[in-house]
Amino acid sequence: IAFSGTPLPEPLKEAVHHYREAYREFHMNHHLPDYAEKAWIALRRAVAVYPQDGNLWFQAGAVGFFIGRFSEARRDFEKALGRRLSPHVRAVASLYLGRCLDLAGRREDALRQYRTSCEEPRLRKAFKKALRRPFRAGERQRIVLDLQFADFHAY
């Protein structure tokens, strides 16, 4: 693996390996009952060796949220928001951090996250809905996740 003619640092190469494992588990082994849990574990390994990447933290949070590990997902979204992210991914991380806070019974903290501004209409609609009522755990059944992107397909 090379980037601009310069070899990648070993921690990044190892993180890519773990991310590839997570992707494979989530998308190629989705017929197995523990596919998402295995993907989450691989993402935890990736952030352990390359913690400076905000998108890895976001992906770990997304899969953690998907499998119902809301307190771990909350920490991962907080870590993601403390790093460099695109404005869109930052807004999505804020939305899901707010949802984690709602599920933890911390509505006021969740409302602060939901006041994030964004340009994307579907995401803006999700923020407005979140301001009106708390997120419920059962709503996570609507989540469509693809590890190819640091995003969700449905908010």
Side-chain angles (χ1 to χ4, degrees):
I1 300 175
F3 181 74
S4 300
T6 306
L8 293 177
E10 284 304 315
L12 179 55
K13 285 170 57 175
E14 186 177 347
V16 168
H17 168 77
H18 294 304
Y19 185 82
R20 182 176 178 270
E21 179 185 347
Y23 187 91
R24 185 176 55 244
E25 288 296 339
F26 199 84
H27 292 291
M28 308 214 39
N29 292 331
H30 63 272
H31 59 284
L32 299 174
D34 59 348
Y35 77 100
E37 184 77 24
K38 286 182 177 177
W40 182 72
I41 291 167
L43 287 166
R44 304 298 308 153
R45 289 185 190 125
V47 296
V49 297
Y50 201 71
Q52 58 267 47
D53 190 297
N55 289 305
L56 283 177
W57 284 106
F58 177 91
Q59 293 286 32
V63 175
F65 193 91
F66 182 82
I67 63 176
R69 292 177 153 301
F70 303 118
S71 62
E72 290 97 334
R74 185 185 79 232
R75 285 190 295 271
D76 292 342
F77 289 130
E78 288 169 345
K79 293 275 191 177
L81 289 167
R83 286 158 177 78
R84 199 173 104 216
L85 297 170
S86 72
H88 176 77
V89 174
R90 181 169 297 285
V92 176
S94 291
L95 175 66
Y96 277 85
L97 175 56
R99 288 177 171 179
C100 290
L101 293 165
D102 261 343
L103 292 169
R106 296 174 50 191
R107 182 68 177 155
E108 290 304 315
D109 293 329
L111 289 171
R112 278 191 283 283
Q113 293 300 318
Y114 296 148
R115 290 187 183 103
T116 298
S117 66
C118 69
E119 298 298 318
E120 202 272 309
R122 283 182 34 228
L123 187 53
R124 194 169 50 241
K125 182 179 175 183
F127 276 115
K128 286 180 181 178
K129 180 180 177 183
L131 287 167
R132 288 191 307 272
R133 67 172 188 78
F135 186 81
R136 296 179 193 103
E139 294 177 82
R140 83 176 207 278
Q141 302 307 318
R142 292 190 331 253
I143 293 173
V144 179
L145 187 58
D146 182 344
L147 295 187
Q148 185 172 356
F149 307 101
D151 200 353
F152 290 87
H153 291 295
Y155 303 116

